[in-house]
Amino acid sequence: MKLNRISLVLLAALLVVMGTAQAAPTANENDGDESKAASGLPLPRFASLRSSDVNMRTGPGTRYPIEWVLKHQGLPVEIVAEYEIWRRVRDSDGSLGWVHKSALSGKRMALITGSMHDMHKNNDDKSEVVAHLEMGTTGQVMSCAKDWCKVKFSGIKGYLRKTDFWGAYPNEVFD
């Protein structure tokens, strides 16, 4: 069978498309069941950016184009899938992309969402307010109970309701 130049280009493009379809597995993001990833860690799970200027790519590898550059060290992200040394992450806006696992930290972080929120001295709305946190502020999540999490923002420790930030699941409890 004799192929002309256009046929060869189309065949090569088809092979590339078929190869990338297999190379980029995705998680069933609507599945409510927690599953284990190749790393042995649960999916989905929260992590944070180890540094600023993290490349978020369209697929799991350096051959894939950079779609976003995440600029804020400590920004929480949700890992929704794994492929070898690559992690598919979702940011607080819902954008998805692939980052190298070395760009991520297991340190739990919080991103204040919505309007300004009060950080309380204890896990009670009536306890003393120790800080007013503006939307977009990031801090560390130290532990979480049913409705409240112990957090630290700029060296100040206190408590926030889970509904005040992005970085913990509604039913998640941990120390």
Side-chain angles (χ1 to χ4, degrees), residues 32-123:
D33 296 332
E34 187 177 275
S35 61
K36 294 281 184 185
S39 65
L41 298 172
L43 286 177
R45 68 181 182 275
F46 280 101
S48 60
L49 300 183
R50 186 179 302 278
S51 62
S52 55
D53 296 324
V54 172
N55 294 332
M56 193 159 79
R57 297 178 177 274
T58 60
T62 55
R63 70 184 182 277
Y64 291 93
I66 297 168
E67 191 166 36
W68 301 98
V69 177
L70 303 171
K71 295 281 198 181
H72 189 78
Q73 181 179 0
L75 185 73
V77 293
E78 182 182 28
I79 299 173
V80 297
E82 294 184 355
Y83 181 74
E84 296 176 358
I85 58 173
W86 294 89
R87 304 296 180 256
R88 189 167 193 223
V89 300
R90 179 187 350 251
D91 68 12
S92 63
D93 294 329
S95 298
L96 289 165
W98 292 87
V99 301
H100 193 278
K101 72 177 187 175
S102 67
L104 300 173
S105 167
K107 189 175 186 179
R108 295 295 296 268
M109 301 296 284
L111 176 69
I112 300 299
T113 56
S115 59
M116 185 179 290
H117 294 288
D118 293 334
M119 182 168 63
H120 294 269
K121 185 174 184 173
N122 298 305
N123 58 351

Side-chain angles (χ1 to χ4, degrees), residues 152-164:
K152 181 168 68 171
F153 284 78
S154 299
I156 302 170
K157 293 179 183 177
Y159 290 84
L160 280 174
R161 287 193 169 277
K162 287 182 182 176
T163 55
D164 294 344

Side-chain angles (χ1 to χ4, degrees), residues 6 8 16 55 62 67 121 126 137 151 155:
I6 293 174
L8 287 174
V16 168
N55 294 332
T62 55
E67 191 166 36
K121 185 174 184 173
K126 295 178 183 169
T137 305
V151 294

